[in-house]
Amino acid sequence: MNIALTPLTSWQDELKNAITCPEMLLKELQLPSNLLTGAKLGDALFSLRVPRPYLNRIEKGNPNDPLLKQILPIKEEASTVPGYVSDPLAETSANHQSGLIHKYKNRVLLILSGACAINCRYCFRRHFAYDDNQIGRQQWASVLEYLKKNPQVNEVILSGGDPLATSDQRLLNFLADLNKLPQLIRLRIHTRLPVVIPQRMTSRLLTGLQASRLKVVIVLHINHPNEIDEDVIQTCQRIKSHDITLLNQAVLLKDVNDDVSVQKTLSERLFAAGILPYYLFLFDKVAGAAHFDLEESVAKELVGQLQAELPGYLVPRLAREIPGKPAKTLLAPLLNT
Ligand code: SF4
């Protein structure tokens, strides 16, 4: 069944209306003014950005809200902590040309847009040189040449920033070119936009994706069950009705989702919305966000408890990305079913 959303505001307007001012954020969420100094300090390092559909899911007056913690800049972001660096996944060395990262044998990642609808404080690309990685017409021609010269690549991953922050027309033009490369069998899109601005999934985009000869997989990024509201559920149903596979990858974050009952609820709510829990990543040690980090042993213990609570297909794979390795490193493979 095709369920159509009738958004009051377009996704482009929601992008423009995103809150970027710390004072306004605190005022709208009725938060204490003593948070302002830290919010301004963090904002100067990595700007605040939160769209209203996501803001509406944050509890007013609660400085410990798990969604707020993902977006509120704080003074700890200015601390220098040994071991936390600007490029924790050493992506610079795999950045073969503008906008293209080739880390794994048969997958390449394209940075289609440096923009995001939301700025997540823990983002491992918070220091990424997006300005040096723009894909214009000329760079796109080079990307296609690169793919032709690497016929072992059978999957393209659109990433960012958020690849869906770009227009439908631009995305569909890229897709038309990718469709012509016989080596490609899958297109993967890593995005947070269907979650933070659900109306981003326009009928035009979904129809275009469905028409592609490539099998399309959308990997969402949802860290907490409170992120899944009715609009997100309806949007996921629309995506799935266009023959698109939906997976989720989350990041394990201290004081946000480092709790068995939260993870259990997240997996159950994801599945109810038609999304399969896929990865639970350990935090990548990016400078400015060390306060989100957890010991690996704590993460393993948590996933061990989760395995006792859920069927195997609802337990996300606990993984870490280690620079230079040919694949993600699994820390808690699923043993039960
Ligand atoms: S790239 Fe993803 S995790 Fe990073 S700020 Fe953008 S939406 Fe958030």
Side-chain angles (χ1 to χ4, degrees):
M1 185 174 54
N2 228 338
I3 303 152
L5 271 184
T6 47
L8 296 174
T9 319
S10 72
W11 70 271
Q12 293 94 337
D13 283 342
E14 288 292 6
L15 270 185
K16 281 188 216 133
N17 293 340
I19 292 200
T20 55
C21 164
E23 280 102 333
M24 192 183 287
L25 180 75
L26 298 188
K27 192 170 165 222
E28 293 228 6
L29 291 176
Q30 298 166 13
L31 290 167
S33 56
N34 63 4
L35 294 173
L36 187 58
T37 307
K40 282 185 166 172
L41 196 59
D43 173 56
L45 298 167
F46 180 46
S47 58
L48 164 71
R49 168 169 288 276
V50 54
R52 287 188 177 273
Y54 188 89
L55 185 87
N56 292 342
R57 299 169 211 158
I58 298 175
E59 186 188 1
K60 288 194 169 138
N62 179 7
N64 296 315
D65 183 282
L67 274 55
L68 176 73
K69 283 183 175 284
Q70 296 181 51
I71 54 99
L72 177 69
I74 57 172
K75 67 175 183 338
E76 283 77 1
E77 295 180 33
S79 307
T80 302
V81 183
Y84 294 79
V85 298
S86 60
D87 181 14
L89 302 185
E91 290 192 321
T92 310
S93 59
N95 196 185
H96 294 288
Q97 59 187 60
S98 182
L100 185 146
I101 294 176
H102 193 177
K103 286 192 276 197
Y104 302 139
K105 189 177 162 191
N106 56 6
R107 284 95 77 199
V108 297
L109 190 143
L110 304 181
I111 306 277
L112 274 203
S113 162
C116 287
I118 187 167
N119 281 351
C120 313
R121 309 316 299 173
Y122 53 84
C123 181
F124 72 86
R125 291 205 184 113
R126 56 183 281 159
H127 306 284
F128 191 80
Y130 287 113
D131 287 347
D132 300 336
N133 274 282
Q134 314 237 348
I135 298 188
R137 198 180 290 259
Q138 198 182 336
Q139 291 85 356
W140 182 248
S142 304
V143 164
L144 295 176
E145 272 313 300
Y146 185 92
L147 290 172
K148 283 178 195 161
K149 282 187 194 144
N150 288 273
Q152 80 282 12
V153 174
N154 61 15
E155 178 170 348
V156 163
I157 303 170
L158 306 184
S159 185
D162 197 312
L164 297 190
T166 197
S167 72
D168 287 350
Q169 186 63 58
R170 184 166 177 255
L171 282 164
L172 295 176
N173 287 346
F174 287 157
L175 184 57
D177 287 340
L178 295 177
N179 279 334
K180 290 179 200 150
L181 296 181
Q183 70 200 74
L184 296 181
I185 54 175
R186 280 183 304 274
L187 175 75
R188 202 187 324 167
I189 303 174
H190 284 188
T191 176
R192 199 145 157 70
L193 254 157
V195 181
V196 303
I197 303 180
Q199 56 266 57
R200 170 64 191 96
M201 300 315 290
T202 60
S203 296
R204 184 176 181 214
L205 178 61
L206 286 170
T207 308
L209 291 173
Q210 187 174 28
S212 168
R213 68 165 190 84
L214 306 177
K215 184 70 195 155
V216 180
V217 180
I218 293 185
V219 183
L220 298 173
H221 175 178
I222 302 173
N223 295 317
H224 193 281
N226 293 1
E227 293 175 49
I228 306 171
D229 69 0
E230 196 49 42
D231 286 345
V232 173
I233 292 169
Q234 284 193 25
T235 294
C236 290
Q237 288 174 355
R238 290 179 64 239
I239 294 172
K240 285 192 71 90
S241 73
H242 288 79
D243 303 326
I244 296 169
T245 301
L246 272 177
L247 305 174
N248 185 60
Q249 55 186 23
V251 185
L252 189 59
L253 300 166
K254 191 171 181 211
D255 297 333
V256 172
N257 59 7
D258 56 332
D259 178 275
V260 178
S261 69
V262 169
Q263 287 292 338
K264 181 175 178 237
T265 309
L266 175 60
S267 280
E268 285 178 335
R269 223 178 265 182
L270 286 169
F271 191 68
I275 313 161
L276 208 56
Y278 172 41
Y279 273 129
L280 177 60
F281 284 116
L282 280 181
F283 172 81
D284 296 309
K285 294 180 182 299
V286 66
H291 50 281
F292 285 113
D293 204 2
L294 285 158
E295 291 291 329
E296 192 173 301
S297 58
V298 174
K300 283 181 173 170
E301 169 80 27
L302 188 148
V303 173
Q305 290 175 29
L306 206 52
Q307 281 184 284
E309 298 275 342
L310 289 169
Y313 60 90
L314 288 190
V315 182
R317 288 179 268 183
L318 181 69
R320 184 190 277 297
E321 188 163 337
I322 299 174
K325 290 249 180 179
K328 306 268 189 299
T329 301
L330 287 184
L331 301 166
L334 304 184
L335 299 174
N336 59 344
T337 53

Short mmCIF file of all heavy atoms in Angstrom, two decimals, residues 174-219:
data_model
loop_
_atom_site.label_atom_id
_atom_site.label_comp_id
_atom_site.label_asym_id
_atom_site.label_seq_id
_atom_site.Cartn_x
_atom_site.Cartn_y
_atom_site.Cartn_z
N PHE A 174 22.75 11.57 -11.23
CA PHE A 174 23.86 10.68 -10.85
C PHE A 174 23.43 9.22 -11.02
O PHE A 174 24.18 8.39 -11.55
CB PHE A 174 24.27 10.91 -9.39
CG PHE A 174 25.02 12.19 -9.15
CD1 PHE A 174 25.05 12.77 -7.89
CD2 PHE A 174 25.74 12.80 -10.16
CE1 PHE A 174 25.75 13.94 -7.65
CE2 PHE A 174 26.45 13.97 -9.94
CZ PHE A 174 26.46 14.55 -8.68
N LEU A 175 22.22 8.93 -10.58
CA LEU A 175 21.73 7.55 -10.63
C LEU A 175 21.65 7.06 -12.09
O LEU A 175 22.01 5.91 -12.39
CB LEU A 175 20.35 7.49 -9.96
CG LEU A 175 19.72 6.11 -9.83
CD1 LEU A 175 20.62 5.14 -9.08
CD2 LEU A 175 18.37 6.22 -9.10
N ALA A 176 21.23 7.94 -12.98
CA ALA A 176 21.13 7.55 -14.40
C ALA A 176 22.51 7.14 -14.92
O ALA A 176 22.63 6.16 -15.67
CB ALA A 176 20.57 8.72 -15.21
N ASP A 177 23.55 7.85 -14.52
CA ASP A 177 24.91 7.49 -14.96
C ASP A 177 25.35 6.17 -14.32
O ASP A 177 25.98 5.34 -14.98
CB ASP A 177 25.90 8.60 -14.58
CG ASP A 177 25.74 9.83 -15.46
OD1 ASP A 177 25.16 9.68 -16.56
OD2 ASP A 177 26.16 10.92 -15.04
N LEU A 178 25.05 5.99 -13.05
CA LEU A 178 25.46 4.76 -12.37
C LEU A 178 24.74 3.54 -12.97
O LEU A 178 25.32 2.46 -13.10
CB LEU A 178 25.17 4.85 -10.87
CG LEU A 178 25.97 5.92 -10.11
CD1 LEU A 178 25.54 5.96 -8.64
CD2 LEU A 178 27.48 5.67 -10.19
N ASN A 179 23.48 3.73 -13.35
CA ASN A 179 22.72 2.64 -13.97
C ASN A 179 23.41 2.09 -15.21
O ASN A 179 23.25 0.92 -15.56
CB ASN A 179 21.32 3.13 -14.38
CG ASN A 179 20.36 3.15 -13.21
OD1 ASN A 179 20.51 2.41 -12.26
ND2 ASN A 179 19.36 4.02 -13.29
N LYS A 180 24.20 2.96 -15.87
CA LYS A 180 24.83 2.54 -17.13
C LYS A 180 26.10 1.73 -16.92
O LYS A 180 26.68 1.23 -17.87
CB LYS A 180 25.17 3.79 -17.96
CG LYS A 180 23.96 4.49 -18.52
CD LYS A 180 24.38 5.73 -19.29
CE LYS A 180 23.22 6.69 -19.45
NZ LYS A 180 23.65 8.08 -19.51
N LEU A 181 26.57 1.64 -15.68
CA LEU A 181 27.80 0.88 -15.43
C LEU A 181 27.44 -0.57 -15.09
O LEU A 181 26.91 -0.84 -14.01
CB LEU A 181 28.59 1.50 -14.26
CG LEU A 181 29.12 2.91 -14.47
CD1 LEU A 181 29.89 3.39 -13.24
CD2 LEU A 181 30.03 2.97 -15.69
N PRO A 182 27.70 -1.51 -16.02
CA PRO A 182 27.21 -2.88 -15.81
C PRO A 182 27.80 -3.57 -14.59
O PRO A 182 27.21 -4.51 -14.06
CB PRO A 182 27.63 -3.59 -17.11
CG PRO A 182 28.59 -2.71 -17.80
CD PRO A 182 28.40 -1.31 -17.29
N GLN A 183 28.96 -3.12 -14.13
CA GLN A 183 29.60 -3.76 -12.97
C GLN A 183 28.80 -3.55 -11.68
O GLN A 183 28.91 -4.32 -10.74
CB GLN A 183 31.01 -3.18 -12.77
CG GLN A 183 30.98 -1.72 -12.27
CD GLN A 183 32.26 -0.96 -12.52
OE1 GLN A 183 32.54 -0.58 -13.65
NE2 GLN A 183 33.03 -0.73 -11.49
N LEU A 184 28.00 -2.47 -11.64
CA LEU A 184 27.30 -2.13 -10.39
C LEU A 184 26.03 -2.94 -10.22
O LEU A 184 25.26 -3.13 -11.18
CB LEU A 184 26.95 -0.64 -10.36
CG LEU A 184 28.13 0.33 -10.34
CD1 LEU A 184 27.63 1.77 -10.28
CD2 LEU A 184 29.08 0.05 -9.18
N ILE A 185 25.84 -3.46 -9.00
CA ILE A 185 24.60 -4.21 -8.74
C ILE A 185 23.78 -3.57 -7.60
O ILE A 185 22.61 -3.83 -7.48
CB ILE A 185 24.89 -5.71 -8.43
CG1 ILE A 185 25.90 -5.85 -7.30
CG2 ILE A 185 25.35 -6.43 -9.68
CD1 ILE A 185 26.14 -7.30 -6.88
N ARG A 186 24.45 -2.79 -6.77
CA ARG A 186 23.73 -2.20 -5.63
C ARG A 186 24.08 -0.73 -5.46
O ARG A 186 25.20 -0.30 -5.74
CB ARG A 186 24.11 -2.91 -4.31
CG ARG A 186 23.42 -4.22 -4.06
CD ARG A 186 23.82 -4.78 -2.70
NE ARG A 186 25.26 -4.93 -2.58
CZ ARG A 186 25.95 -6.00 -2.98
NH1 ARG A 186 25.32 -7.02 -3.51
NH2 ARG A 186 27.25 -6.05 -2.84
N LEU A 187 23.10 -0.01 -4.94
CA LEU A 187 23.31 1.38 -4.54
C LEU A 187 22.89 1.47 -3.07
O LEU A 187 21.79 1.07 -2.71
CB LEU A 187 22.44 2.32 -5.36
CG LEU A 187 22.51 3.79 -4.92
CD1 LEU A 187 23.81 4.43 -5.37
CD2 LEU A 187 21.33 4.59 -5.48
N ARG A 188 23.82 1.99 -2.27
CA ARG A 188 23.48 2.14 -0.85
C ARG A 188 23.49 3.63 -0.52
O ARG A 188 24.34 4.38 -1.00
CB ARG A 188 24.55 1.42 -0.01
CG ARG A 188 24.02 1.08 1.35
CD ARG A 188 25.05 0.51 2.29
NE ARG A 188 26.09 -0.34 1.78
CZ ARG A 188 27.16 -0.66 2.52
NH1 ARG A 188 27.29 -0.20 3.74
NH2 ARG A 188 28.11 -1.43 2.01
N ILE A 189 22.53 4.06 0.28
CA ILE A 189 22.45 5.48 0.65
C ILE A 189 22.49 5.56 2.17
O ILE A 189 21.61 5.02 2.85
CB ILE A 189 21.14 6.11 0.12
CG1 ILE A 189 21.06 5.95 -1.41
CG2 ILE A 189 21.06 7.59 0.50
CD1 ILE A 189 19.74 6.41 -2.01
N HIS A 190 23.51 6.21 2.69
CA HIS A 190 23.62 6.42 4.14
C HIS A 190 23.04 7.79 4.46
O HIS A 190 23.58 8.80 4.01
CB HIS A 190 25.09 6.38 4.58
CG HIS A 190 25.67 5.01 4.62
ND1 HIS A 190 26.92 4.74 5.14
CD2 HIS A 190 25.16 3.81 4.25
CE1 HIS A 190 27.15 3.44 5.07
NE2 HIS A 190 26.11 2.86 4.52
N THR A 191 21.97 7.80 5.21
CA THR A 191 21.30 9.09 5.43
C THR A 191 20.60 9.17 6.78
O THR A 191 20.12 8.16 7.29
CB THR A 191 20.27 9.36 4.30
OG1 THR A 191 19.58 10.57 4.57
CG2 THR A 191 19.25 8.24 4.18
N ARG A 192 20.53 10.38 7.30
CA ARG A 192 19.75 10.63 8.51
C ARG A 192 18.52 11.48 8.16
O ARG A 192 17.66 11.71 9.01
CB ARG A 192 20.67 11.37 9.51
CG ARG A 192 20.23 11.34 10.97
CD ARG A 192 21.43 11.28 11.86
NE ARG A 192 21.27 11.75 13.23
CZ ARG A 192 20.56 11.16 14.18
NH1 ARG A 192 19.86 10.08 13.91
NH2 ARG A 192 20.54 11.65 15.40
N LEU A 193 18.44 11.93 6.92
CA LEU A 193 17.36 12.85 6.56
C LEU A 193 15.94 12.27 6.69
O LEU A 193 15.05 12.97 7.18
CB LEU A 193 17.59 13.40 5.15
CG LEU A 193 18.04 14.86 5.20
CD1 LEU A 193 18.78 15.26 3.95
CD2 LEU A 193 16.89 15.82 5.44
N PRO A 194 15.68 11.02 6.29
CA PRO A 194 14.31 10.52 6.45
C PRO A 194 13.87 10.48 7.91
O PRO A 194 12.67 10.44 8.20
CB PRO A 194 14.38 9.09 5.88
CG PRO A 194 15.58 9.09 5.00
CD PRO A 194 16.55 10.04 5.63
N VAL A 195 14.84 10.52 8.83
CA VAL A 195 14.52 10.50 10.26
C VAL A 195 14.33 11.93 10.77
O VAL A 195 13.37 12.21 11.49
CB VAL A 195 15.67 9.82 11.05
CG1 VAL A 195 15.35 9.78 12.54
CG2 VAL A 195 15.94 8.44 10.50
N VAL A 196 15.20 12.82 10.39
CA VAL A 196 15.15 14.16 10.99
C VAL A 196 14.23 15.12 10.23
O VAL A 196 13.72 16.07 10.82
CB VAL A 196 16.58 14.75 11.18
CG1 VAL A 196 17.42 13.82 12.03
CG2 VAL A 196 17.27 15.06 9.88
N ILE A 197 14.03 14.86 8.92
CA ILE A 197 13.02 15.61 8.15
C ILE A 197 12.31 14.57 7.26
O ILE A 197 12.67 14.36 6.10
CB ILE A 197 13.64 16.72 7.27
CG1 ILE A 197 14.46 17.70 8.11
CG2 ILE A 197 12.55 17.47 6.50
CD1 ILE A 197 15.10 18.84 7.31
N PRO A 198 11.31 13.88 7.81
CA PRO A 198 10.70 12.75 7.07
C PRO A 198 10.18 13.13 5.68
O PRO A 198 10.21 12.31 4.76
CB PRO A 198 9.57 12.30 7.99
CG PRO A 198 10.00 12.70 9.36
CD PRO A 198 10.75 13.99 9.18
N GLN A 199 9.73 14.38 5.50
CA GLN A 199 9.17 14.73 4.20
C GLN A 199 10.23 14.81 3.09
O GLN A 199 9.89 15.05 1.93
CB GLN A 199 8.34 16.03 4.26
CG GLN A 199 9.02 17.24 4.78
CD GLN A 199 8.75 17.42 6.27
OE1 GLN A 199 9.05 16.53 7.05
NE2 GLN A 199 8.22 18.57 6.66
N ARG A 200 11.51 14.57 3.46
CA ARG A 200 12.55 14.55 2.42
C ARG A 200 12.30 13.46 1.38
O ARG A 200 12.71 13.58 0.22
CB ARG A 200 13.94 14.32 3.07
CG ARG A 200 15.06 14.03 2.05
CD ARG A 200 15.26 15.23 1.15
NE ARG A 200 16.10 15.05 0.00
CZ ARG A 200 15.66 14.77 -1.23
NH1 ARG A 200 14.37 14.56 -1.47
NH2 ARG A 200 16.50 14.71 -2.24
N MET A 201 11.61 12.38 1.78
CA MET A 201 11.43 11.27 0.84
C MET A 201 10.27 11.59 -0.10
O MET A 201 9.15 11.12 0.07
CB MET A 201 11.21 9.96 1.60
CG MET A 201 12.36 9.59 2.51
SD MET A 201 14.01 9.77 1.79
CE MET A 201 14.02 8.45 0.60
N THR A 202 10.56 12.38 -1.10
CA THR A 202 9.52 12.81 -2.04
C THR A 202 9.13 11.63 -2.95
O THR A 202 9.92 10.71 -3.17
CB THR A 202 10.04 13.94 -2.93
OG1 THR A 202 11.17 13.44 -3.64
CG2 THR A 202 10.46 15.16 -2.13
N SER A 203 7.94 11.74 -3.50
CA SER A 203 7.48 10.69 -4.43
C SER A 203 8.42 10.61 -5.63
O SER A 203 8.71 9.52 -6.14
CB SER A 203 6.07 11.00 -4.91
OG SER A 203 5.22 10.96 -3.81
N ARG A 204 8.90 11.75 -6.08
CA ARG A 204 9.79 11.76 -7.24
C ARG A 204 11.07 10.97 -6.97
O ARG A 204 11.51 10.17 -7.79
CB ARG A 204 10.13 13.21 -7.59
CG ARG A 204 10.95 13.32 -8.84
CD ARG A 204 11.19 14.76 -9.22
NE ARG A 204 11.96 14.80 -10.45
CZ ARG A 204 12.86 15.72 -10.72
NH1 ARG A 204 13.10 16.70 -9.87
NH2 ARG A 204 13.53 15.68 -11.84
N LEU A 205 11.64 11.21 -5.81
CA LEU A 205 12.87 10.50 -5.46
C LEU A 205 12.61 9.00 -5.33
O LEU A 205 13.36 8.18 -5.88
CB LEU A 205 13.45 11.07 -4.16
CG LEU A 205 14.72 10.38 -3.65
CD1 LEU A 205 15.85 10.48 -4.66
CD2 LEU A 205 15.16 10.96 -2.30
N LEU A 206 11.55 8.66 -4.61
CA LEU A 206 11.27 7.23 -4.38
C LEU A 206 10.98 6.51 -5.70
O LEU A 206 11.45 5.40 -5.92
CB LEU A 206 10.09 7.09 -3.41
CG LEU A 206 10.44 7.43 -1.95
CD1 LEU A 206 9.18 7.50 -1.10
CD2 LEU A 206 11.41 6.40 -1.38
N THR A 207 10.22 7.17 -6.56
CA THR A 207 9.92 6.55 -7.85
C THR A 207 11.20 6.36 -8.67
O THR A 207 11.40 5.34 -9.32
CB THR A 207 8.90 7.42 -8.63
OG1 THR A 207 7.80 7.67 -7.76
CG2 THR A 207 8.41 6.74 -9.88
N GLY A 208 12.06 7.37 -8.63
CA GLY A 208 13.32 7.29 -9.37
C GLY A 208 14.21 6.17 -8.84
O GLY A 208 14.84 5.44 -9.62
N LEU A 209 14.25 6.01 -7.53
CA LEU A 209 15.07 4.95 -6.95
C LEU A 209 14.49 3.58 -7.32
O LEU A 209 15.23 2.65 -7.65
CB LEU A 209 15.13 5.10 -5.43
CG LEU A 209 15.92 6.31 -4.90
CD1 LEU A 209 15.76 6.44 -3.39
CD2 LEU A 209 17.41 6.21 -5.26
N GLN A 210 13.18 3.49 -7.30
CA GLN A 210 12.55 2.20 -7.61
C GLN A 210 12.79 1.82 -9.08
O GLN A 210 12.91 0.64 -9.40
CB GLN A 210 11.04 2.29 -7.35
CG GLN A 210 10.33 0.95 -7.49
CD GLN A 210 8.87 1.04 -7.09
OE1 GLN A 210 8.24 2.08 -7.20
NE2 GLN A 210 8.32 -0.05 -6.60
N ALA A 211 12.88 2.82 -9.93
CA ALA A 211 13.05 2.55 -11.36
C ALA A 211 14.48 2.13 -11.70
O ALA A 211 14.74 1.62 -12.80
CB ALA A 211 12.67 3.79 -12.16
N SER A 212 15.40 2.34 -10.79
CA SER A 212 16.80 1.99 -11.09
C SER A 212 16.95 0.49 -11.23
O SER A 212 16.27 -0.29 -10.56
CB SER A 212 17.69 2.49 -9.94
OG SER A 212 18.97 1.92 -10.06
N ARG A 213 17.88 0.05 -12.08
CA ARG A 213 18.12 -1.39 -12.18
C ARG A 213 18.96 -1.86 -10.99
O ARG A 213 19.11 -3.06 -10.75
CB ARG A 213 18.83 -1.73 -13.51
CG ARG A 213 20.22 -1.23 -13.62
CD ARG A 213 21.03 -1.84 -14.73
NE ARG A 213 22.42 -1.43 -14.55
CZ ARG A 213 23.28 -2.02 -13.76
NH1 ARG A 213 22.92 -3.09 -13.08
NH2 ARG A 213 24.51 -1.57 -13.62
N LEU A 214 19.53 -0.93 -10.23
CA LEU A 214 20.33 -1.30 -9.06
C LEU A 214 19.41 -1.62 -7.89
O LEU A 214 18.35 -1.01 -7.73
CB LEU A 214 21.27 -0.16 -8.67
CG LEU A 214 22.18 0.37 -9.77
CD1 LEU A 214 23.01 1.54 -9.25
CD2 LEU A 214 23.11 -0.74 -10.26
N LYS A 215 19.82 -2.56 -7.07
CA LYS A 215 19.07 -2.85 -5.85
C LYS A 215 19.42 -1.75 -4.85
O LYS A 215 20.60 -1.52 -4.56
CB LYS A 215 19.50 -4.23 -5.34
CG LYS A 215 18.74 -4.69 -4.13
CD LYS A 215 17.29 -5.03 -4.45
CE LYS A 215 16.47 -5.12 -3.18
NZ LYS A 215 15.06 -4.88 -3.38
N VAL A 216 18.42 -1.09 -4.34
CA VAL A 216 18.68 0.07 -3.48
C VAL A 216 18.51 -0.29 -2.01
O VAL A 216 17.51 -0.92 -1.63
CB VAL A 216 17.75 1.26 -3.84
CG1 VAL A 216 18.05 2.47 -2.95
CG2 VAL A 216 17.92 1.64 -5.31
N VAL A 217 19.50 0.10 -1.23
CA VAL A 217 19.46 -0.10 0.22
C VAL A 217 19.63 1.27 0.88
O VAL A 217 20.57 2.00 0.53
CB VAL A 217 20.62 -1.03 0.69
CG1 VAL A 217 20.58 -1.24 2.20
CG2 VAL A 217 20.58 -2.36 -0.04
N ILE A 218 18.74 1.61 1.78
CA ILE A 218 18.91 2.86 2.55
C ILE A 218 19.30 2.47 3.96
O ILE A 218 18.60 1.69 4.62
CB ILE A 218 17.63 3.72 2.53
CG1 ILE A 218 17.38 4.24 1.10
CG2 ILE A 218 17.74 4.88 3.51
CD1 ILE A 218 16.22 5.20 0.96
N VAL A 219 20.44 3.00 4.39
CA VAL A 219 20.89 2.74 5.75
C VAL A 219 20.63 4.01 6.56
O VAL A 219 21.25 5.04 6.33
CB VAL A 219 22.40 2.37 5.79
CG1 VAL A 219 22.81 2.04 7.22
CG2 VAL A 219 22.68 1.18 4.88
#
